[in-house]
Amino acid sequence: MTVLVYLDHEGGAIRQASRSAIAAASKLGDVDVLVTGPDAAAAAKSAAAIPGVKKVVQVTDTTGNSELAEPVASLLADLAAGYTHILAASSATAKNILPRTAALLDVQPIPDIVAINDADTFVRPIYAGSALATVKSADAKKIITVRASSFEPVASEGGNATIEEVALPAGPGGSTFIATELSKSERPELESARVVVSGGNGMLNEENFKLLEPLADRLGAAIGASRAAVDKGFVSNEYQVGQTGKIVAPELYIAMGISGQIQHLAGMKDSKVIVAVNKDPEAPIFQVADYGIVGDLFTILPQLEAELDKAG
Amino acid sequence: MKVLVPVKRVIDYNIKPRVKADGSGVETAGVKMSMNPFDEIAVEEAVRLKEKGVVSEIIAVSIGEAKAQDTLRTAMAMGADRSILVETDVVTEPLSVAKVLKALVEKEKPDLIILGKQAIDDDMNATGQMLAGLLGRPQATFASKVEVADGAVTVMREIDGGSQTVKLALPAIITADLRLNEPRYASLPNIMKARKKPMEKITPADLGVDMTPRLSVVSVAEPPERKAGIKLDSAAELVSRLRNEAKVI
Amino acid sequence: MSETPRETMEFDVVIVGGGPSGLAAAIRLRQVAPDASVCLIEKGSEIGAHILSGAVIEPRALEELLPHWREEGAPLNTPVTEEQMLYLTQKGSLEIPFLDRVMPHMNNHGNHIVSLGDFCRWLASRAEELGVEIYPGFAGAEVLVDDSGRVTGVATGDMGIGRDGQPGDNYAPGMELRAKYTLFAEGCRGSLTKQVTAMYNLRKGVDPQTYGLGIKELWEIPKEMHRPGLVQHSFGWPLDDRTYGGAWMYHFGDNLVSYGFVTGLDYPNTWLSPFDEMQRVKLHPAFRPYFEGGRRIAYGARALSEGGIQSIPRLTFPGGALIGDTAGFLNVPKIKGTHTAMKSGMLAAEAVAEALATDRVEPGSYTRRIRDSWLWTELRSVRNIRPAFAKFGMKGGALYSGMDAMLLRGRAPWTLHTRHSDNEVLEPASISEKISYPKPDGKITFDRLSSVFLSNTNHEEDQPVHLKVRNMSLWKTVNWDVFRAPESRYCPAAVYEVADEATDPHLQINAQNCVHCKTCDIKDPAQNIDWVTPEGAGGPNYPGGM
Ligand SMILES: Cc1cc2nc3c(=O)[nH]c(=O)nc-3n(C[C@H](O)[C@H](O)[C@H](O)COP(=O)(O)OP(=O)(O)OC[C@H]3O[C@@H](n4cnc5c(N)ncnc54)[C@H](O)[C@@H]3O)c2cc1C
Ligand SMILES: Cc1cc2nc3c(=O)[nH]c(=O)nc-3n(C[C@H](O)[C@H](O)[C@H](O)COP(=O)(O)OP(=O)(O)OC[C@H]3O[C@@H](n4cnc5c(N)ncnc54)[C@H](O)[C@@H]3O)c2cc1C
Ligand SMILES: Cc1cc2nc3c(=O)[nH]c(=O)nc-3n(C[C@H](O)[C@H](O)[C@H](O)COP(=O)(O)OP(=O)(O)OC[C@H]3O[C@@H](n4cnc5c(N)ncnc54)[C@H](O)[C@@H]3O)c2cc1C
Ligand code: SF4
């Protein structure tokens, strides 16, 4: 079995999430990869260095068409003949393209898998992660996106794959790429941030809540809040994390002065690593935290910043 | 200009889904169902286009069991002019739904099809893209802004870390993201009026679509519970653990 | 506020509330007056969403309303097969022997254990088949009255009003539902009923209504422990002799157990917490084994009327009537109000049909129909039991009720009266004995917030607080200084919290949590809290099985 993995890259550097997708693909068979875009040549070079990759398909395009789902979906459908599975890391780009490819191949896609049971059977979250469904596909080819956090990424160096250049098909036409605008805000958005620093009732007031900013700056984190903090007016309600606020699943979630009521947990319990600082050793947040510190957050917060500074 | 809006009946987003004790699925008996929230946004966008005079007719469609009528009534109360129920008791999948929609598009010839970006039950995020693929028409997923002018639609789409703008020739497929608009309430007077709007009932067979699912559910389970981790004594230890053990900073 | 004029729709009859009484009235109306247009509104997001009950139901009224209920698939699937009344001491329990003779009202032969929510969903589909227009998600917020003083319908609340009271972007004005006759079927302590009662002075000359608070959990338990058809009630521990109440446990359906605890809201000890009483009784050896290895599925709470016949107000007024538990038709010793609610709705429907035909202002024959029915006989025979508990305490009350049943057979020539409203009997914190409750273990017992989570409660956040404190300074001088914030203990949903207790105690209201039980409206010592309807569809979303 050979598997094709569509890779996301940024200016030629392969995203870590895509290396997780390669890790998932390796469980299914030999791995070829596809890179597209104006920097495809650079990306192909990086991709060829990833251990376990047999062949890189490189599609250089400077017209902007590789930003569009239509031609890329057609490309994948054209390439599909040689593969049993087509994979990509779950990203806005892959979600735009892969289902379209699936339609062209008369296949029902399998999005967001978190585990592979065998070549036909996969586990994926449904109902926003409230349940895990094990599903078996009856399609001859599988089209799959992968939750990166569930698969340890392969290394980025050590491999030596061949590179093959292929042209981008025209696709059905009708759509034109106009522009991409990356958000320049200093703080990442809450729902897509890699790190979230959240404050609760324990922050006591609006003034103190601002103390979280330097920490967030150091970690490149978004700021979140519990409902108690929002209700008391420390921050506005777009910061609220939880059942009735935003649902987040960052790699690192730091809860400062948050008790961890179930309604708050509903919004962050899928975070990869949870850190809690709370002066009450019985606070329910400690039942879900990977690392906890029992103590006064106003003492620990400056210490934490100092430690981060120290380590660089 | 005609718009088709597919709407799905799902477990209400306020309800915490419960996995059945026998692991065969999620309990839906007696559970409150509502229109998929992204589909409300899709309907709202269509209604706003109609209010702007761009659109003349909005058709809501749902594929599913007879109760999906309620969802169609809600769509009509929000402003859809008529609706089509494609009635089936078979489990629907994006592929089969897209095939049904393709057949309806060929029949109704809408200029725009606005879907939700994802249904909050199965979280597939696929139907719109698949419909576009089957029709060979352009697509703009995860729309946060839609403008129709001169036979084309310009869409701002949400992508990771920012936004992208594309221009599509009509007919085209759009899927709605959260920030596209804030949907209106279906007001009581409008709900009453919606009772009198036309609803057509057909079956997938009438459209020649085979609904046999390609995915079968082996089991459904609750995600493993998180376990309590360890308590640390100092900020220094925390930073070192985060760096060397968890590798998240 | 509403610059946009409200739209209006005319009906023959508008029914406010989609519980058993409202739905039975709607069905009966279309049966006896098929041409009458009938509209029913329900504040829950769907029929059943706000229905919380035991429930063991007596099919008597159903039999009269829909004789073919079995063939039509009414969800009455678990007949009662066995029943026990337990007197609890802290560690032990005593089963009351010869239950059917000592407490004949507890005899459940021929009754069924149901989810009342599911039953209402079924009734609603029957009503719709008969042409009733049902609109869930809309609360009756205002009573419409014409110049002659006749109730002419209700208006639904505005939607999209912000917390600051100003209309927001998605503002939609309420609608006027006009009707020749309006039936209030709001269940215990209806908010519009409260207005109508004041307007027409309906409570003149009757005893104050008294109430209980029922807090319920739905469990799925291991099959080995499930005994479908088993009905258990308890009294005694953990309540003291001055406090009425007890637990219930009903086994039904697919390994489901309805468990709950009713506390009489005439309890005097301000430190008492009905929620924690309910939690700790689960740990009693009589109940605990059933919960081991089980999983809690849902949670909720609702007040019930306990005043009985002495407390039933005048039932009709120009343009309408009160039906069901909002009028107080609950058989207290039986803890059953479904069959009586339905019967009252059916009788009101018949009276309204007659009034429609003769164009009368008040559906006056309703009162006579009630008095001539089995409903009245039934309620009369049990009228002294609950007041006896208030008068003689729990043990004395139990003795009295045994005597009443065996010797007098409910035909005592005297009637015991309730003199005080529930809010008047609370005793100051300084003289009340503190109660220490066990900490939740997270397996069998739980805290309030993780419980509310299982009621699927939600309210649109950006709306005015629907728990209106008339006078905040009164809260400080009465609720805090004298009673130490009893609302923080009796509210089963942690809506009321005391903030800055040590420095500047003030009341924080988490209105979003409210499960619409109405207890604060009843028990607040100074009657300083008004429960008004929040934006439609807000509140709990009790799942099937509740
Ligand atoms: C329907 C509904 C929806 C809800 N939705 C949400 C939601 O979306 N998001 C949400 O967050 N909540 C939600 N809630 C509310 C939730 O139940 C909790 O009330 C809320 O999360 C509590 O916030 P908190 O932990 O900040 O406050 P608290 O529970 O007051 O906890 C504060 C914590 O800070 C600690 N602390 C205080 N001072 C210090 C100090 N100096 N140093 C260290 N620790 C300190 C305390 O020990 C305590 O544990 C909802 C509730 C309901 C009923
Ligand atoms: C593991 C698994 C378990 C399943 N279990 C069940 C089950 O228990 N019961 C059941 O009924 N189905 C079940 N299904 C099928 C499920 O309903 C389909 O997957 C669904 O129709 C399409 O997925 P989605 O809604 O996530 O599509 P998405 O692609 O996420 O939906 C996007 C948009 O497509 C439109 N759309 C999608 N479906 C419809 C529709 N039916 N009518 C109108 N518009 C629509 C909406 O605009 C929606 O916003 C299951 C599927 C899987 C994979
Ligand atoms: C804990 C508990 C246990 C019980 N156990 C039993 C039992 O085992 N057997 C039995 O027979 N009875 C039992 N009862 C009593 C029984 O549940 C009630 O008597 C019965 O539900 C009353 O019916 P109803 O229609 O009058 O009111 P409800 O059932 O309370 O219904 C009223 C409906 O009106 C709606 N509503 C209220 N106000 C408005 C408004 N302003 N606008 C729109 N809608 C509104 C409510 O949301 C609700 O859906 C129990 C009650 C409780 C609380
Ligand atoms: S606020 Fe009042 S009505 Fe709401 S749950 Fe609490 S006590 Fe009951």
Side-chain angles (χ1 to χ4, degrees), chain C residues 2 4-8 142 144 155-156 158 173-176:
Chain C
S2 24
T4 339
R6 293 196 287 211
E7 289 198 49
T8 299
E142 190 186 323
L144 304 174
T156 62
D158 295 345
M175 182 179 192
E176 295 191 0

Side-chain angles (χ1 to χ4, degrees), chain A residues 133 135, chain B residues 6-8 36 39 61-63 91-94 97 115-119 121-127 215 217:
Chain A
V135 295
Chain B
V7 293
K8 187 179 184 192
N36 180 34
D39 302 354
V61 48
S62 193
I63 299 113
V91 167
T92 60
E93 281 179 353
V97 169
L115 302 89
K117 81 158 177 183
Q118 142 175 23
D121 49 1
D122 295 302
D123 292 331
M124 287 272 181
N125 192 333
T127 308
L215 292 183
V217 178

Side-chain angles (χ1 to χ4, degrees), chain A residues 201 227-228 230-232 237 240 243-245 261-263 266 282 284, chain C residues 163 439 447 449-450 452-453 456-458 461 499 508 510-513:
Chain A
N201 217 356
R227 194 172 102 192
V230 171
D231 281 353
K232 300 235 164 102
N237 71 355
Q240 184 173 319
Q243 186 197 351
T244 43
Q261 291 301 342
I262 194 159
Q263 291 85 358
E282 304 274 317
Chain C
R163 189 171 270 209
K439 268 191 140 191
D447 66 10
L449 277 171
S450 53
V452 186
F453 188 66
N456 298 313
T457 296
N458 199 24
E461 234 164 312
Q508 178 170 330
N510 306 311
Q512 206 179 7
N513 303 15

Side-chain angles (χ1 to χ4, degrees), chain C residues 143 151 184 192-202 317:
Chain C
V143 181
V151 170
F184 294 89
L192 294 185
T193 302
K194 200 172 159 182
Q195 293 177 23
V196 194
T197 303
M199 236 184 287
Y200 298 100
N201 200 11
L202 300 177
F317 44 84

